[in-house]
Amino acid sequence: MHAPAADLQAMEMSFLGNSLDRQSTRRGDKAYLDGLLTGRDTRIVLSTDRTLVFAAAETLTMGHDLPAAKALGADPEELVFLGLRPENGQAIFATTLPVGDEELAERTDLRLEDLRTLALKNLLPPEDLGPLAQARALIHWHRTHRFCSRCGARTVMSEAGYRRDCPDCGGQHFPRTDPCVIMLITDGERALLGRPPRLAEGIYTTLAGFMEPGETIEQAVRRETLEESGIRVSDVRLISNQPWPFPANLMLGCMGTAVSTEIQIEDDELEACKWCDRDEVRRMIAGTHPEGHRIPPPISIAHELIVGWLENE
């Protein structure tokens, strides 16, 4: 039996709790944004190309005030407006710093943490992880799209960071989110799990891959599963979805029914792939698997797809 969508949505995945009011209709109102920026409680999320930058403290607090952000090199003209906290109207901005981790690592007043570590170790409240995912995705886009793809001229930020404009050719460029399908394929009482080389030793996970232009979600699931494992899939159901800011993906969690069972790995996507029955998956979760195999941690939709299938026999 497959896990119902409502059950998966209720489970503890990271980056889902973004309740910010994005004020999207006011992104072009410079006076409004300037007023928010100088607010006493306004916070600015700072990032390098790899990590988020926090003030050193026993308990981490998201963001810095404007003077502290400027002192670290933040450019007010490159601030992205994330939104307002609904409970108190606090404005949250974000930007990238012109220096790297190496230049900040020696400072005792700062603490550098990557977003994955923050989520895995529960270093911040869940409601902060969603805005940080939003920040990291936007910051990555700005860092990698400073020049116009039409004419090559340097672009400038506009619409509070949700557009970059080319002053030479008039081109307008918008942030991108790349959709990925991530799928648990089942064959009765067995689930198909694979091991990409990039994962930590022993972890087996669901298959996944990028959607291509002109594909439906179902077509992408069938194509990626066939390409990675040689398994053909019939029925596909969209179960849940999750922002995945590494760097800027939307994971579309699906369940699929296999119509073939012979695994054939023909490319470098996976170094191993196998059918796992429910008892083996339980041992993976419990940490008692004889070969030390495990499933991904609870921050990911892969974990929830696997656990959801296991708990809904």
Side-chain angles (χ1 to χ4, degrees):
M1 178 178 177
H2 298 319
D7 288 351
L8 281 180
Q9 290 285 13
M11 291 180 180
E12 296 267 339
M13 292 184 287
S14 292
F15 316 120
L16 296 182
N18 191 348
S19 62
L20 292 183
D21 178 356
R22 300 189 181 209
Q23 295 279 293
S24 57
T25 60
R26 306 197 69 176
R27 288 173 181 162
D29 187 339
K30 189 176 187 305
Y32 172 70
L33 295 172
D34 287 346
L36 292 178
L37 185 58
T38 56
R40 184 182 61 183
D41 297 327
T42 293
R43 305 297 291 176
I44 300 170
V45 175
L46 298 180
S47 175
T48 68
D49 61 336
R50 299 201 307 269
T51 63
L52 291 156
V53 181
F54 299 88
E58 184 175 342
T59 302
L60 292 185
T61 302
M62 189 174 75
H64 305 254
D65 61 24
L66 183 58
K70 286 182 175 179
L72 288 169
D75 181 355
E77 297 301 315
E78 290 288 324
L79 290 176
V80 177
F81 175 55
L82 301 181
L84 305 178
R85 288 195 185 273
E87 64 272 18
N88 57 18
Q90 181 186 46
I92 309 294
F93 289 79
T95 193
T96 185
L97 293 176
V99 295
D101 287 14
E102 296 78 9
E103 296 173 73
L104 298 175
E106 300 301 319
R107 292 189 53 160
T108 58
D109 60 330
L110 299 177
R111 178 172 170 180
L112 310 182
E113 293 285 357
D114 68 89
L115 188 52
R116 193 185 302 267
T117 298
L118 291 171
L120 284 170
K121 295 185 177 181
N122 297 313
L123 297 178
L124 283 171
E127 59 268 22
D128 284 352
L129 292 177
L132 288 177
Q134 178 188 355
R136 282 291 291 163
L138 283 165
I139 285 170
H140 171 79
W141 179 72
H142 282 288
R143 290 184 72 97
T144 56
H145 289 76
R146 296 189 182 278
F147 297 91
C148 179
S149 59
R150 287 169 35 170
C151 72
R154 180 174 286 275
T155 57
V156 295
M157 181 184 289
S158 64
E159 288 294 313
Y162 290 81
R163 198 175 79 204
R164 294 193 74 88
D165 294 341
C166 178
D168 283 17
C169 72
Q172 294 181 339
H173 307 280
F174 298 87
R176 59 180 292 171
T177 296
D178 297 318
C180 300
V181 289
I182 181 166
M183 50 277 186
L184 183 66
I185 307 304
T186 61
D187 171 43
E189 295 298 296
R190 301 186 302 171
L192 184 68
L193 299 181
R195 177 172 165 70
R198 59 182 170 77
L199 291 186
E201 185 66 31
I203 291 183
Y204 277 74
T205 186
T206 55
L207 305 190
F210 287 99
M211 291 189 65
E212 294 187 351
E215 276 188 322
T216 66
I217 294 171
E218 294 83 359
Q219 289 167 343
V221 167
R222 296 184 185 111
R223 175 185 55 78
E224 284 287 348
T225 303
L226 184 63
E227 288 176 359
E228 292 189 8
S229 68
I231 299 298
R232 297 187 178 275
V233 175
S234 58
D235 296 336
V236 174
R237 293 193 303 127
L238 177 64
I239 299 297
S240 187
N241 63 96
Q242 177 190 26
W244 193 247
F246 304 107
N249 304 126
L250 176 65
M251 308 302 289
L252 303 169
C254 300
M255 303 287 290
T257 302
V259 292
S260 67
T261 59
E262 183 180 353
I263 296 172
Q264 296 179 335
I265 302 177
E266 296 182 353
D267 57 25
D268 59 357
E269 293 281 341
L270 300 175
E271 65 179 25
C273 187
K274 63 178 181 175
W275 288 106
C276 301
D277 62 27
R278 294 181 187 274
D279 286 340
E280 182 174 8
V281 174
R282 289 190 186 96
R283 291 196 293 270
M284 288 178 170
I285 294 172
T288 59
H289 193 280
E291 298 176 60
H293 295 170
R294 298 169 287 145
I295 70 169
I299 69 168
S300 69
I301 201 169
H303 179 99
E304 305 306 341
L305 287 169
I306 296 167
V307 172
W309 167 76
L310 188 63
E311 292 181 347
N312 286 271
E313 299 185 42

